[in-house]
Amino acid sequence: MSPGRLQEIVAAAGLPTTHDPVSAVASLTALFTDRTRMADLLDTAPSDALAVLDRLVWGPPYGEVTADPTPPVRWLRDRGLLLPASARTVVLPREVALHLRAGRAHRVPEPVPPAVAPAAEYGPQAVDNAAAGQAYTALTTIEDLLKDWHEGGPAVLRAGGLAVRDLKRAAAALDTSEQLAAFWIELAFAAGLVASDGEADERYAPTPAYDEWIELPPAERWGELAVAWLTATRTPGLVGSQDAKGRTLSVLGPDLDRSAAVEVRRRVHQNWRRSSRTGPPPPPSRCCPGCAGERPLREAAGSTKDLRARVAAWTLSEAELLGVSGRGALSTHGRALLGAEGVDKTPGADGGTLADRRACAVKALAPLLPEPLDHVLLQADLTAVAPGPLDRPLAETLAVLAEIESKGGATVYRFTPGSVRRALDAGMAASDVHAFLATHSRTPVPQPLSYLVDDVARRHGHLRIGAASAYVRCDDDAVLGEILADKRSHGLGLRRLAPTVLAAQSDPGTLLEGLRAMGYAPAAESAEGDVLITRAHARRTPPRTPPAPVPEGPPVPDGTLLGAAVKAIRAGDMAATVVRKPAAEEGRPRAGELPRTSSAETLATVQAAALTGSAVWIGYVNAEGTASQRVIAPVRVEGGFVTAFDHTADEVRTYPLHRITGVAELADDAG
């Protein structure tokens, strides 16, 4: 504030004006810390002004004001009870807040952390079964996501991350909400299963680690995901919010790392595992003492602005999604992963390394996961029901031969002409399809399904398509005549080259899709006349490592840095506490003041110190005009410069003599 504005505040507060800003601030501080005079001042305040103070007293102490504030705010501002923090923001002074709080730092003292108690009780078997079921759901969700990105996922934004429309597509493919889809995508990224491919047209795709991960047993795959979640600093709950610059945070973007996430997650787990193993957790504010007990001066737990409280709530929900907990209570494998008491005392089960705890969790989870099945139940309505998880080869083949209609405890597949044709395009013959269905069905193959397979197979490959740009070949010239007469074929640019051959201006792929849209079932043909077998092309990124968690706070200093810091501190202590010889002449500086000597006296003193090898105390002004005091041991004096060992900097330096303001000798016992 300007000195004039300070004097106006002093006068409005009923204090005598002062001669300088320092004494004005001291006068206001004395008023605000005097309970009697402060009470008299607040007695004169309008009731609306007191209401404003009540809203700010317990924090946050900031408020926004307009260019023309209301009379209550103007009354407080004129008396210094509200001070401007910026052009549109005012802040309540600390002294005023302490007076209004009667000297208290907290509204309600809570010296003892709140007790952690479960909200309800469930049987251990029910908890473990629910957690195991959700763990298997987590595995299938990650698999479905990466299968959807198998041939190349969405593009990478220029600033990094996933576009909102691509997140919506992923959520629709997983049949879940966008926030949950963001969690699964970030989990796959943290586990190193998905990354950008680094191409010019950069896109996300599964990594080579995904191919190794998919071959592991289900419990091992869950262990990889659980460890990645425990150690990740990326916070998917922030997706959709804005950063300090007003930019929306995107999935897989560069600004989702929060170093406090790991520490908050650890504190939540420590309190959670101390509670009953069969009960749902208490509220996040009680599970996370870092939000309410260990950091009480932060905003109240549960506030939308308190990151730690939100991370605590996200930790509980993410643990449920991942299968660490079931029905809100820690499962047996969840407690093993977190190193809780009451589990099998194998190495690492209680406070061991993360790898040991992971092994214990995998061992506890494996018996709870369902065994893969090698059969389905075929039904007369052209559907197949998988009563549980299927063997991987069976599931992959069935996904090609039929469409997935619904998921859950049992997966329902539906056979359609398009799905059967897709299997034939992939190289299966009608006999292969019949044999597959007969082998893997516990029920007789329904007659409608057999008719569907035979009908599609009979028509499949009846038409042959190649490059002319493209051509259509068929032994039945009547079929080609039908195609030419159909108005829907006009856009393909077809004309008859021979009774059994049509040429097209379209490329083979467009021609193939066009004829299929017209209801035909053509097959692609190679240059040698063989039927082309089309299979999905798997796209993979180059080898990628999972993202490294961002540590909280500055890095731990090494021995070299610590040694340099100790030397600097000792040199500064020496310069500040060194004993100088008492000045005999009147006008010489007293101890603690910058020495002032003539140029001739300065030169003579440093030359003598160089000859005797003693140290002196100098005042020095650098090129920027900053004055400092140093203790130096001169080594050489020549050419208007003195070269000396600077005890303050702990190194040899050269100083221009004309920048040395003065010099003083040290006492004999200065050391």
Side-chain angles (χ1 to χ4, degrees):
M1 292 184 182
S2 65
R5 176 61 182 149
L6 277 175
Q7 298 302 327
E8 292 176 1
I9 293 177
V10 169
L15 300 174
T17 57
T18 62
H19 62 282
D20 66 314
V22 176
S23 58
V25 172
S27 178
L28 282 173
T29 303
L31 170 63
F32 293 160
T33 54
D34 188 325
R35 296 196 59 81
T36 302
R37 291 194 295 159
M38 187 65 175
D40 294 340
L41 176 61
L42 292 177
D43 287 341
T44 64
S47 59
D48 292 341
L50 295 177
V52 173
L53 294 178
D54 289 339
R55 289 198 297 269
L56 301 178
V57 62
W58 291 109
Y62 292 91
E64 293 186 2
V65 295
T66 62
D68 184 18
T70 59
V73 174
R74 192 181 304 117
W75 190 93
L76 295 171
R77 190 187 61 180
D78 290 344
R79 287 155 181 80
L81 300 176
L82 289 180
L83 299 177
S86 65
R88 305 294 295 272
T89 308
V90 292
V91 62
L92 183 68
R94 182 176 64 89
E95 294 83 0
V96 177
L98 287 175
H99 173 83
L100 296 173
R101 297 175 181 176
R104 292 178 295 163
H106 309 285
R107 189 191 300 266
V108 179
E110 293 184 358
V112 179
V116 179
E121 292 288 335
Y122 296 112
Q125 191 64 37
V127 172
D128 290 345
N129 290 341
Q134 188 56 44
Y136 197 88
T137 301
L139 295 179
T140 57
T141 303
I142 295 294
E143 290 178 27
D144 292 343
L145 171 68
L146 297 183
K147 284 179 182 177
D148 190 50
W149 293 3
H150 191 65
E151 299 182 39
V156 181
L157 294 176
R158 183 179 302 177
L162 203 64
V164 175
R165 63 179 179 274
D166 293 323
L167 176 60
K168 291 182 178 179
R169 292 193 189 105
L174 298 179
D175 192 20
T176 186
S177 64
E178 295 177 25
Q179 198 64 42
L180 291 183
F183 167 71
W184 296 121
I185 294 172
E186 284 288 344
L187 180 61
F189 178 67
L193 304 180
V194 67
S196 60
D197 56 13
E199 301 292 338
D201 181 18
E202 196 171 15
R203 309 184 76 84
Y204 290 107
T207 64
Y210 168 70
D211 297 318
E212 301 175 3
W213 178 81
I214 202 69
E215 298 298 330
L216 295 174
E220 291 285 348
R221 283 185 279 141
W222 180 86
E224 296 283 346
L225 297 179
V227 169
W229 170 70
L230 274 180
T231 58
T233 56
R234 295 186 63 81
T235 313
L238 294 173
V239 171
S241 60
Q242 294 184 337
D243 61 8
K245 297 182 179 179
R247 296 173 299 191
T248 302
L249 300 177
S250 60
V251 183
L252 301 180
D255 301 320
L256 288 183
D257 280 292
R258 296 295 184 272
S259 57
V262 176
E263 188 265 342
V264 172
R265 197 178 294 127
R266 178 176 59 83
R267 301 299 298 172
V268 170
H269 292 154
Q270 286 178 350
N271 285 273
W272 194 359
R273 71 191 189 191
R274 293 192 193 107
S275 64
S276 173
R277 62 169 303 194
T278 58
S285 61
R286 295 197 171 208
C287 269
C288 185
C291 301
E294 294 181 356
R295 294 174 175 84
L297 292 182
R298 290 183 178 270
E299 296 175 76
S303 169
T304 57
K305 297 182 180 180
D306 184 3
L307 175 63
R308 290 178 174 267
R310 288 185 289 161
V311 171
W314 294 333
T315 297
L316 301 179
S317 61
E318 290 170 1
E320 191 80 11
L321 287 173
L322 193 54
V324 175
S325 62
R327 298 192 175 186
L330 274 178
S331 61
T332 300
H333 53 275
R335 296 174 68 85
L337 180 69
L338 303 179
E341 298 79 6
V343 296
D344 183 21
K345 296 299 182 180
T346 52
D350 190 6
T353 65
L354 185 58
D356 293 336
R357 289 187 276 125
R358 172 188 173 278
C360 292
V362 169
K363 180 180 177 181
L365 176 63
L368 301 175
L369 294 177
E371 290 292 334
L373 303 177
D374 60 352
H375 65 273
V376 294
L377 306 176
L378 296 179
Q379 303 187 102
D381 59 350
L382 298 180
T383 60
V385 177
L390 299 177
D391 282 330
R392 185 168 308 283
L394 173 58
E396 291 177 351
T397 304
L398 198 58
V400 175
L401 186 58
E403 306 288 351
I404 297 178
E405 191 169 77
S406 66
K407 297 180 180 180
T411 304
V412 178
Y413 296 85
R414 179 167 294 278
F415 298 93
T416 64
S419 66
V420 174
R421 186 186 65 239
R422 183 173 62 223
L424 298 177
D425 287 341
M428 296 182 70
S431 58
D432 298 332
V433 175
H434 287 302
F436 172 82
L437 296 176
T439 302
H440 295 287
S441 176
R442 286 290 179 88
T443 58
V445 179
Q447 194 177 50
L449 180 56
S450 298
Y451 286 166
L452 173 65
V453 174
D454 291 337
D455 184 57
V456 174
R458 183 171 54 254
R459 299 168 55 201
H460 184 266
H462 194 54
L463 298 178
R464 301 296 180 91
I465 294 176
S469 295
Y471 65 85
V472 182
R473 180 172 65 85
C474 182
D475 296 334
D476 189 352
D477 58 349
V479 175
L480 297 182
E482 292 177 4
I483 295 175
L484 286 174
D486 197 325
K487 293 181 180 180
R488 293 175 294 177
S489 68
H490 291 173
L492 301 176
L494 296 172
R495 66 186 181 91
R496 189 186 292 270
L497 293 181
T500 59
V501 179
L502 296 180
Q505 297 178 0
S506 306
D507 61 274
T510 303
L511 181 58
L512 192 68
E513 295 298 325
L515 291 181
R516 285 176 176 171
M518 294 167 60
Y520 297 95
E525 191 174 72
S526 68
E528 292 77 21
D530 299 325
V531 176
L532 287 177
I533 296 175
T534 57
R535 293 188 177 92
H537 174 67
R539 183 172 181 175
R540 293 292 183 267
T541 69
R544 294 282 193 269
T545 56
V550 177
E552 184 173 13
V556 178
D558 55 14
T560 303
L561 183 59
L562 290 175
V566 171
K567 288 182 179 180
I569 293 173
R570 288 175 175 171
D573 290 342
M574 179 179 179
T577 60
V578 68
V579 180
R580 294 169 289 279
K581 287 185 177 181
E585 298 86 351
E586 186 176 346
R588 291 284 298 273
R590 292 170 295 181
E593 296 181 355
L594 200 66
R596 296 286 180 180
T597 57
S598 63
S599 300
E601 188 176 359
T602 298
L603 178 60
T605 304
V606 295
Q607 285 177 337
L611 292 175
T612 60
S614 57
V616 293
W617 179 61
I618 66 170
Y620 180 74
V621 179
N622 62 14
E624 287 76 25
T626 302
S628 61
Q629 304 177 34
R630 299 177 180 274
V631 176
I632 65 173
V635 178
R636 184 174 62 253
V637 181
E638 60 182 9
F641 293 87
V642 54
T643 302
F645 180 80
D646 190 333
H647 290 278
T648 307
D650 200 25
E651 64 181 3
V652 176
R653 290 185 175 181
T654 301
Y655 299 97
L657 283 170
H658 68 276
R659 293 193 178 277
I660 297 177
T661 62
V663 62
E665 297 180 6
L666 303 183
D668 294 336
D669 58 350

